[in-house]
């Protein structure tokens, strides 16, 4: 399957996209770069659901490593972190004139609505950006897996995995200047070669439901618009022949 102009997409933004390289918390300059691209794409008529991560605030596995906080507790803390990120994105998008809703898989009704599939679909049809918070709402999962799940149930044509590098490489481009960036890969290659695209649960779910994934660099201004328009940037992962 080749690239196309997409009309409903699931965009996955990691928590680290909201702060500086190697940083922590929120960096408004970084959030604005992403939000302005999202607003422009939404205002061009593309329906956008966004799954936001929480790695800039809490990573459950790391926090639980201390041995004092149980893994499940740390994961719930991580999910609450994604709610804060979603709120930051929502206000920034609305500041830019783009109406936005936050829908959370964990009930946090004082600040956002609960995730209800049909309601989210309705928001998308009306042109609202929907930021999906709290992952799948259960510990021991990741927001990448959530992105594959939501892309499937919200009938998105593609899962756009926003990263800080240009795509999927055969080795770390920061360590190896000769690292090769793949144009296209199959789900099977990603799993067999253990390529670090998303976690394996997410890749398996995308494969099972035939959701194409495009890994691309969100730090290049305008890239979200380019990838949605079907320009051949980043790495396309699907079930087709390479
Ligand atoms: N998390 C979880 N269940 C989910 C999604 C996330 O328990 O469905 C927790 C988990 O602790 C994870 C943290 O939230 O480490 C932040 O999410 P993630 O690591 O996926 O964020 P990202 O790496 O995309 O910033």
């Amino acid at each position: 399957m080749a690239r196309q102009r997409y009309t409903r997409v699931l965009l996955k933004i990691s928590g680290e996209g909201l702060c500086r390289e190697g940083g922590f918390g929120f960096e408004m300059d970084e959030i604005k770069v992403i939000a302005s691209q999202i607003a422009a794409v939404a205002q061009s008529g593309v329906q956008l659901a966004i799954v936001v991560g929480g790695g800039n605030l809490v990573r459950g596995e790391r926090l639980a490593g201390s041995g004092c906080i149980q893994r499940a507790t740390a994961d719930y803390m991580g999910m609450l972190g994604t709610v804060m990120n979603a709120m930051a994105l929502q206000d920034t998008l609305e500041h830019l004139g783009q109406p936005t809703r936050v829908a959370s898989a964990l009930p946090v009704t004082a600040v956002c609505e609960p995730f209800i599939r049909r309601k989210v679909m309705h928001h998308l049809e009306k042109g609202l950006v929907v930021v999906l918070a709290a992952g799948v709402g259960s510990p021991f999962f990741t927001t990448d897996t959530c992105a594959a799940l939501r892309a499937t149930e919200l009938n998105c044509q593609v899962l756009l995995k926003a990263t800080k590098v240009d795509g999927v490489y055969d080795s770390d481009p920061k360590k190896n200047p000769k690292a090769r960036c793949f144009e296209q890969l199959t789900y099977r290659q990603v799993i067999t070669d253990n390529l670090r695209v998303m976690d394996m649960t997410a890749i398996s779910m995308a494969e099972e439901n035939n959701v194409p994934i495009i890994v691309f660099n969100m730090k290049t201004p305008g890239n979200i618009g380019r990838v949605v328009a079907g320009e051949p940037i980043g790495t396309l992962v699907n079930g087709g022949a390479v």
Side-chain angles (χ1 to χ4, degrees):
M1 196 194 340
R3 307 290 180 106
Q4 61 175 87
R5 174 176 282 279
Y6 302 101
T7 52
R8 178 179 288 178
V9 305
L10 189 301
L11 175 65
K12 163 68 209 295
I13 300 172
S14 294
E16 61 177 18
L18 309 183
C19 65
R20 274 207 205 98
E21 182 97 50
F24 178 84
F26 303 102
E27 190 60 58
M28 273 327 294
D29 287 345
E30 305 288 329
I31 298 177
K32 276 194 255 172
V33 169
I34 295 168
S36 57
Q37 293 187 58
I38 293 169
V41 169
Q43 283 156 19
S44 75
V46 176
Q47 297 181 19
L48 261 172
I50 300 170
V51 168
V52 69
N56 57 321
L57 297 172
V58 178
R59 280 194 194 284
E61 199 177 354
R62 196 182 303 159
L63 185 63
S66 64
C68 301
I69 300 175
Q70 290 184 39
R71 172 68 191 273
T73 307
D75 278 345
Y76 279 111
M77 291 169 69
M79 285 184 262
L80 291 173
T82 72
V83 177
M84 286 199 265
N85 284 341
M87 292 167 71
L89 263 181
Q90 179 181 40
D91 268 23
T92 311
L93 283 165
E94 294 203 328
H95 177 74
L96 295 168
Q98 174 54 47
T100 304
R101 295 286 180 273
V102 174
S104 172
L106 281 181
V108 201
T109 48
V111 294
C112 61
E113 53 188 67
F115 176 83
I116 298 169
R117 175 177 172 269
R118 289 177 64 97
K119 200 166 178 189
V120 170
M121 304 270 266
H122 187 69
H123 289 329
L124 294 175
E125 280 152 17
K126 291 232 156 173
L128 299 170
V129 167
V130 184
V131 186
L132 303 167
V136 300
S138 296
F140 302 98
F141 283 94
T142 64
T143 52
D144 276 358
T145 299
C146 172
L149 171 67
R150 300 298 187 223
T152 306
E153 67 174 312
L154 296 173
N155 304 329
C156 296
Q157 295 147 328
V158 67
L159 193 174
L160 305 176
K161 162 85 176 168
T163 68
K164 291 177 173 172
V165 289
D166 287 338
V168 184
Y169 288 82
D170 59 357
S171 58
D172 187 345
K174 287 189 183 131
K175 292 182 191 148
N176 176 10
K178 289 190 178 151
R180 177 175 152 240
C181 183
F182 297 103
E183 219 170 279
Q184 196 175 349
L185 287 165
T186 62
Y187 305 110
R188 282 291 107 197
Q189 273 176 302
V190 171
I191 293 169
T192 312
D193 299 346
N194 202 14
L195 297 170
R196 287 172 31 179
V197 178
M198 299 173 101
D199 60 76
M200 290 305 158
T201 314
I203 297 291
S204 302
M205 178 160 284
E207 178 178 35
E208 205 165 299
N209 296 293
N210 209 17
V211 176
I213 302 168
I214 301 176
V215 182
F216 73 105
N217 192 339
M218 69 177 152
K219 295 290 178 184
T220 309
N223 255 4
I224 299 178
R226 281 184 203 108
V227 76
V228 166
E231 286 187 31
I233 58 166
T235 304
L236 171 67
V237 182
N238 63 14
V242 179

